[in-house]
Amino acid sequence: LVDGARQRMRQAGMSDAQIRLVETSGTVHPRITLTAPIGGVIVELNAREGMTVMPGATLFRMNGLATVWADAAVPESQASLLRIGTAVQARTPALPDTVFKGKVQAILPQVDEATRTLKARIELANASARTQQLAPGMFVSIELSTPTQTSLTVPTEAVIQTGRRIVVMLA
């Protein structure tokens, strides 16, 4: 094979072993196995059995799973806690001892009238040393990391107003 043909075969996804097989046999094989460069989920499949494909044609599209989106239904009463960039922790019943960290990426501007919830899109890190554990369609419980606000309730008799400041005496 000439270098141009070899390069086109590599761009088409053929491995070096498959290219060598074509070179040694001198024939083009009707079927080849394509290996994806990443693990993920096929979201669009344009290739069908028996179909002839042209160079540059999109055969399929894949989404990687290193990060995944979770669409959270947040009760309307907690909408004030939602901010883009807010840190979250997610847990799934499938992996009860695993915590997935992420953050709020988007807040959809409409309340679901039936459930009185807002939709928030959350990006979760899914890469681990072993495998990508979250898969499309799984349910997760989301915990928003909100700044802790402490409040103190005291009787009005304990408040001393000096004119310049307000002071509370503690025993």
Side-chain angles (χ1 to χ4, degrees):
L1 292 174
V2 295
D3 287 336
R6 192 175 291 113
Q7 184 63 28
R8 284 192 300 279
M9 289 175 142
R10 278 196 189 96
Q11 289 173 345
M14 291 179 70
S15 68
D16 288 336
Q18 290 170 321
I19 294 170
R20 278 193 301 278
L21 181 62
V22 170
E23 288 176 329
T24 57
S25 68
T27 61
V28 176
H29 299 274
R31 293 191 176 145
I32 61 167
T33 300
L34 298 176
T35 305
I38 60 169
V41 176
I42 295 177
V43 293
E44 182 181 338
L45 180 61
N46 296 328
R48 299 288 180 249
E49 186 174 344
M51 180 177 159
T52 301
V53 295
M54 300 300 293
T58 301
L59 302 179
F60 58 89
R61 279 188 329 121
M62 282 185 72
N63 282 350
L65 295 175
T67 58
V68 295
W69 282 349
D71 287 333
V74 179
E76 180 180 29
S77 61
Q78 296 178 355
S80 64
L81 302 175
L82 275 179
R83 300 275 184 274
I84 292 177
T86 299
V88 297
Q89 292 184 348
R91 290 179 175 78
T92 179
L95 304 159
D97 297 331
T98 306
V99 175
F100 298 92
K101 296 186 184 287
K103 63 183 175 178
V104 176
Q105 289 293 320
I107 303 165
L108 302 182
Q110 186 173 356
V111 174
D112 184 314
E113 292 179 18
T115 61
R116 305 308 302 169
T117 57
L118 283 168
K119 293 287 184 200
R121 177 161 292 143
I122 296 168
E123 184 177 282
L124 298 171
N126 191 27
S128 70
R130 294 182 313 230
T131 183
Q132 295 162 351
Q133 298 171 317
L134 292 175
M138 290 179 86
F139 283 94
V140 293
S141 297
I142 303 291
E143 182 180 319
L144 294 170
S145 299
T146 58
T148 57
Q149 297 178 347
T150 57
S151 62
L152 176 65
T153 305
V154 296
T156 55
E157 306 83 51
V159 178
I160 303 169
Q161 296 183 359
T162 66
R164 286 188 284 160
R165 62 187 186 148
I166 299 174
V167 181
V168 176
M169 300 301 248
L170 295 176

